[in-house]
Structures are given as structure tokens and as C-alpha cells.
Amino acid sequence: MAAQALNPDAGLRLPDDLAAWLADHADALDDGTRDAATVLPRLARAGIFRIGVPQAQGGLAGTDIGDAIEAVSQVAEYSVASAFVAWGQRVFIEYLLRSPNAGLAQRWLPALLSGEQAGATALSNAMKFLSGIESLQISARESEGAWVLDGRMPWVTNLRPQGFLVAAAVSAPDGTPAVVALPHDIAGLVRSPDLSLMALQSSNTAALEVQGVRIDSEWLIHPDARQYLPGARPAFAGLQCGLSIGLARRALQAAAQSGQRQASRGILGEPLAALSAQVQALSARLIDGVRSGRFVTEPWALFEIRIALAEAAQQAVQLELQASGGAAYLTSAGAGFARRWREAAFLPIVTPSLVQLKTELAKRQAKLAAEAAGIAV
């Protein structure tokens, strides 16, 4: 039986069969006992990756990037591991949509949208490079009209062994930071075994060694990352925020259900309502800012929302624990809670981490304070 597909007229709710599959396998996808190869096709058959893509390029009519963020959020309500895969795939698609290399997009978009090919983003390093946090980890040198790449990508998600493309930032021979795509079977690209994670194990997260990889302009996403990435960053971080939104919603729902069953937990009603309203307001601000393009010129506003949503998700899991009481600590009754606890532990460290974002915001505040005081910076 064919999987159901998303219907824009139905408010873009996840199809029932996908929601049921995610609910049934959420724990197995988290601990890795469910084959990670099953995730991408399931999401693709539901049309998740076509949301926000122009119809002329195979997308779902009447949808935009805000709808794509909502779709990732809905997946995360059931399984953050699956949402992490959805994020990586949809962000890579966004990179191609924004690339001046039309040939690259034309060649690969159909397979990415259908889930036949995985798309992985290793541009976290580049996002940190833009903020002056770290240097690029891959360098390129000229050789007979091509670039030869060397370096490492220590943590990349959605590296599906059946086939993937990975987006990477490289220091071009002239020192300009560029963005390239590398196919899984190119000579010199070596994938490690999946990393041993405490959660989100079925996400095909691994490291990549780049050893004398030779590419030409066919694989160039953009020749200058400093021009390209500020425009791509709102989608990168906005879709990533879907993980926090979905997890917060689900934990709050579980807490409310526990509170209804146990009258003694009624004291949590007010903080649950307040946090739910906060998550809803932050989600609306996020989607509005990504849609309007505001975050291209005001990235700090996006950073603030990303921090607030990750913290809200952690607070929601804490409220679920308080509402459930000792039942949450029982292996049988608390399995879903234990998974959400581990998922919440991931949100502050996924790049850009909350520490990195707070550091950037502190720098900005110091600069504004100095300017207000008439001190040159």
C-alpha cells in the first residue's frame, strides 16, 4: 500500500501512516535498533522534502520555508532522530535551491526530493567560521585545472551508506571560503562507522576524512561562502529549531496528560500553560523572521530564538518529569520520557551550540555598549 502524502489543504499535518510509523519506532530509531536506512524513504514518500520547494523544481505548491520548518517540528514531536535526518536533507536541498550552479541542482534535486539520495550538511564549521569561532577544516590546492581537497568533517548527519551528497566549506587556493558538494563515491572521501551516540543513533551520523579529493566546478555550490551563507543561515537554523519545537510540544502534551490523571499535579497547570504559550510565540516569531528575510541582516534575533527554544524544550521535559512523578523513572512506563530526556540533552550542543550562540550575543552586546559609550571597537 502506498504511503499517504502531505496535503496542503489539510493544514500540512503529517499523514496518519507516517505519524503511526514514527510513534511505533521512535525508541528503536533513538537507540539504533531500527535500521537508519528506513527513515529517509519514509519521510520522502510523505512529501516532507518537497515542502517549501518551488513547484517548477518538484516542490509542493502553495508551501514555503515556514511550512518546511513546521513539518520538521511535527516529525520531532514523534522522533527527534527522524527530525534530525529531515533537517539535514531539507537543508541540503535548500543549499541547491540557493546555488547559482543550476546544473548541480537540476542533476540532483529529483533524487533528493524522492529520498533516493541523502543530502548531508557539513557547514556547521562554515557557520562558526563566519562568526570567527574556528578556521575552515578543509583546504583546497590547484592541480591541473582542478581543486584537490584535504581535511576532515568530524560530525555529519544523514550520511546514508546507500548514497549521499555532502555540502562542505573549503578554503580555496586563493584563500576564499567556498562551498562545495561531494558525492559519497568520489575517490578520497572516507566515511567512518556511525558515531556511538547516547541518542539519535539511527541518523547515520559519522565522520568524513577528505584525502586528496579532486573536484572541478561541477561540484561548486558557491564560490564565496561569505556571500552565500548569510542568506542560507536562516533556513539552516530555522529548520534546526524544528527539533526543539517538536520536542517541547510533545513533552508538554505528555505533562498535561499526566496532570489530568493525577489531580495532585494540578499545581503545574499554570507553568505548563505559560511554557506552551511561550513555545507557540517563539515558533511564530521564528517562522515570520525566516519568511520575511529579517534574519539575513539580523542574525542575532535568530540566535536568541534558537537559544530560547532549546531551553524551552528542556523545561518542558522537566515539567513532564514533575507531572509524571515516579512513573517516569520506571523502564516500562517511562520509555518515551527517557528518550525525550536524551533528545533534550542534544539540543544545546548541536552546532551552533548554545554556548557559541551566547558568546556571539555577548560580543554584540559588548560592542553596542562600547559604541554607546563612544569607545572605538
Side-chain angles (χ1 to χ4, degrees):
M1 180 178 177
Q4 300 169 25
L6 284 158
N7 179 3
D9 297 330
L12 287 176
R13 296 299 303 175
L14 290 188
D16 291 342
D17 63 339
L18 175 60
W21 186 85
L22 291 170
D24 288 344
H25 300 292
D27 290 336
L29 291 168
D30 184 66
D31 65 23
T33 54
R34 182 73 186 184
D35 186 359
T38 61
V39 179
L40 197 68
R42 272 284 181 170
L43 297 174
R45 277 181 282 170
I48 297 295
F49 307 128
R50 300 182 186 276
I51 300 172
V53 174
Q55 189 175 12
Q57 292 175 280
L60 192 60
T63 61
D64 63 12
I65 188 63
D67 298 310
I69 293 171
E70 174 59 25
V72 172
S73 301
Q74 290 183 25
V75 173
E77 290 184 40
Y78 297 93
S79 164
V80 173
S82 299
F84 198 28
V85 170
W87 166 77
Q89 185 82 358
R90 186 57 185 82
V91 168
F92 188 91
I93 289 168
E94 194 70 16
Y95 293 155
L96 295 191
L97 293 175
R98 295 173 176 273
S99 171
N101 189 345
L104 186 64
Q106 184 177 11
R107 179 181 176 188
W108 291 105
L109 271 177
L112 289 161
L113 294 173
S114 68
E116 297 173 34
Q117 190 83 8
T121 172
L123 294 188
S124 297
N125 169 233
M127 298 296 180
K128 288 184 279 188
F129 169 82
L130 282 182
S131 299
I133 295 173
E134 68 182 29
S135 59
L136 295 180
Q137 296 171 333
I138 303 174
S139 61
R141 65 182 189 276
E142 288 274 4
S143 176
E144 300 177 350
W147 286 1
V148 179
L149 312 180
D150 292 284
R152 188 170 189 270
M153 295 173 254
W155 179 300
V156 189
T157 294
N158 206 27
L159 295 177
R160 199 164 182 259
Q162 291 82 358
F164 63 82
L165 292 168
V166 59
V170 306
S171 180
D174 66 359
T176 302
V179 182
V180 303
L182 302 176
H184 73 280
D185 54 356
I186 195 168
L189 187 65
V190 182
R191 183 194 190 280
S192 76
D194 282 1
L195 302 179
S196 182
L197 309 176
M198 66 176 286
L200 287 70
Q201 191 64 52
S202 293
S203 58
N204 281 145
T205 299
L208 290 171
E209 296 289 342
V210 184
Q211 304 169 354
V213 172
R214 188 180 184 87
I215 63 168
D216 56 25
S217 59
E218 170 190 359
W219 299 105
L220 190 63
I221 293 178
H222 200 282
D224 192 339
R226 289 170 298 197
Q227 294 180 11
Y228 175 73
L229 290 180
R233 179 166 48 195
F236 173 97
L239 288 161
Q240 188 184 77
C241 284
L243 278 63
S244 297
I245 294 169
L247 178 57
R249 287 175 180 169
R250 183 64 186 89
L252 287 168
Q253 180 186 17
Q257 290 171 344
S258 293
Q260 290 169 2
R261 290 192 297 267
Q262 302 185 49
S264 62
R265 306 291 193 259
I267 194 171
L268 297 177
E270 186 174 333
L272 282 171
L275 188 57
S276 180
Q278 180 186 357
V279 170
Q280 184 176 356
L282 287 167
S283 303
R285 283 172 52 199
L286 171 72
I287 290 175
D288 179 70
V290 175
R291 281 174 169 162
S292 69
R294 174 194 172 200
F295 297 144
V296 175
T297 55
E298 300 178 17
W300 58 87
L302 176 58
F303 296 167
E304 290 171 344
I305 292 174
R306 158 89 166 88
I307 292 168
L309 281 169
E311 292 178 343
Q314 292 183 306
Q315 292 168 23
V317 174
Q318 287 283 356
L319 285 173
E320 180 185 356
L321 173 61
Q322 294 177 50
S324 301
Y329 216 71
L330 295 173
T331 302
S332 57
F337 166 77
R339 171 173 48 78
R340 286 187 285 278
W341 185 277
R342 292 190 301 271
E343 290 170 341
F346 175 70
L347 299 177
I349 62 170
V350 60
T351 302
S353 72
L354 297 199
V355 170
Q356 291 161 351
L357 293 176
K358 289 177 179 179
T359 299
E360 287 303 298
L361 291 174
K363 288 180 183 176
R364 180 175 181 271
Q365 290 299 324
K367 181 179 179 181
L368 292 175
E371 289 173 349
I375 301 172
V377 292

